[in-house]
Amino acid sequence: MTGTTDGDGGPAENVRRPSFAAMARDRRVWLILAVVAGLLVCCCSAVVGALIALSSGLLTA
């Protein structure tokens, strides 16, 4: 397994990763979260609707 190194091959101790607050300010993060949440809601509502239709006898198994 290789560790993070600087350009000279030494360990990169001063390399900073973006903080969570900086990532939360990025609009792309919110866009991705919104798309995932929308897909989750659509899929779950479709499954619940199909289960209700099956249980009420509107659809045949």
Side-chain angles (χ1 to χ4, degrees):
M1 182 166 79
T2 61
T4 304
T5 60
D6 61 6
D8 298 331
E13 296 174 2
N14 295 331
V15 175
R16 292 186 47 146
R17 295 189 324 199
S19 67
F20 185 74
M23 288 190 311
R25 284 191 297 262
D26 193 1
R27 291 178 189 257
R28 289 174 296 177
V29 173
W30 292 111
L31 178 65
I32 292 169
L33 288 175
V35 169
V36 169
L39 288 173
L40 188 66
V41 167
C42 288
C43 291
C44 289
S45 65
V47 168
V48 169
L51 288 175
I52 290 172
L54 280 172
S55 67
S56 65
L58 297 176
L59 299 175
T60 57

